[in-house]
Amino acid sequence: MSAMSRVGDIDRYLRAYFASQQMPEGEPSEPQPHPFVTISRQAGIGGHALADEIVEVFSSIDDPIFSGWRVYDRTLCEMVAEDPRYRKSLDSLLDEEYRSKANDFFHQMVRSTVDQKLVMNRVFLAVRTVAGMGRSVIVGRAGSHVTQDMPEGISIRVVASEDVRIQRAMDMHGLTEREARAGGRKRDADRARLIRAHFGADIDDATGYDAVFNAGMVSFGEIARSVAVMVSARTATI
């Protein structure tokens, strides 16, 4: 599916969602839970595969709260990049690249991109919009920090030893060990600086998440089933 097709798909979904919220006057509706899951992960974990596993596990549970879940990751950036002013910044957004303010200014001068903070704020707004609709699994995009004040969300951080992550990156992308190690360390450093710059937080601080999983010790299926229990418990208390 093309980038524009995915953007159009989400646009239609957003329109349908907001239309469904407009109840006729005099017909009060029962408040419905809007659970969502955010995934923060170290480079090489395979966050998108985990998100797909979570949706698959949820779909097998006989409970309405687990039906109709969707994964949102790069598409959030594509929604932003649909605006011509932001299109040239898409590549860096997809990689969650961090640039210091000085470097960002120089980057704009050379490549005519827009200010990174402006772009990221639009991404953060898209994340909160998708989270607010519920039944969404959001991979990266600072989702855990953007939605910290939204009680229906379950935020998880997924880690593993560097050796495990390097091997996965080599297997998944055909990289050499040197390429996988260097690339992984750069992505982790970029993501950490982005979280620190925008939220003043440490991406590795376990207290910033509802749960931290070691993907080198537990399977994606185990993580997904654990998250399902957390979602069920959370929605029961709201």
Side-chain angles (χ1 to χ4, degrees), residues 104-234:
D104 192 43
F105 178 77
F106 177 74
H107 197 79
Q108 291 179 60
M109 295 293 290
V110 173
R111 294 184 55 192
S112 301
T113 62
V114 299
D115 180 77
Q116 185 191 48
K117 184 176 181 180
L118 176 61
V119 177
M120 289 312 300
N121 283 343
R122 286 178 62 88
V123 173
F124 297 156
L125 178 60
V127 168
R128 286 186 67 90
T129 300
V130 168
M133 293 188 303
R135 291 179 170 79
S136 52
V137 180
I138 302 169
V139 183
R141 317 311 135 187
S144 297
H145 292 82
V146 173
T147 62
Q148 267 190 338
D149 62 332
M150 301 174 70
E152 293 178 280
I154 298 295
S155 63
I156 67 172
R157 171 82 171 157
V158 189
V159 302
S161 69
E162 187 176 45
D163 287 344
V164 167
R165 293 184 287 115
I166 287 172
Q167 188 60 56
R168 287 186 180 180
M170 292 168 62
D171 294 341
M172 292 172 59
H173 305 294
L175 303 174
T176 66
E177 180 179 351
R178 182 177 180 179
E179 290 170 336
R181 189 180 301 276
R185 288 179 176 178
K186 182 183 184 303
R187 284 193 297 277
D188 281 338
D190 285 343
R191 292 169 181 172
R193 285 194 294 269
L194 187 147
I195 294 298
R196 188 176 303 115
H198 286 272
F199 304 97
D202 179 357
I203 197 171
D204 290 313
D205 181 1
T207 63
Y209 310 94
D210 292 305
V212 179
F213 295 95
N214 182 350
M217 302 296 290
V218 296
S219 69
F220 282 177
E222 290 173 306
I223 295 174
R225 288 188 289 275
S226 297
V227 172
V229 172
M230 297 170 70
V231 168
S232 182
R234 182 66 57 83

Side-chain angles (χ1 to χ4, degrees), residues 54-90:
I54 289 174
V55 170
E56 184 174 346
V57 167
F58 283 12
S59 68
S60 69
I61 300 174
D62 186 17
D63 184 330
I65 202 63
F66 290 108
S67 66
W69 284 68
R70 302 164 68 98
V71 175
Y72 296 91
D73 39 47
R74 290 171 175 248
T75 313
L76 290 169
C77 296
E78 290 162 359
M79 289 172 66
V80 174
E82 189 175 20
D83 187 319
R85 294 174 298 169
Y86 307 123
R87 197 175 301 278
K88 291 185 178 180
S89 292
L90 178 59

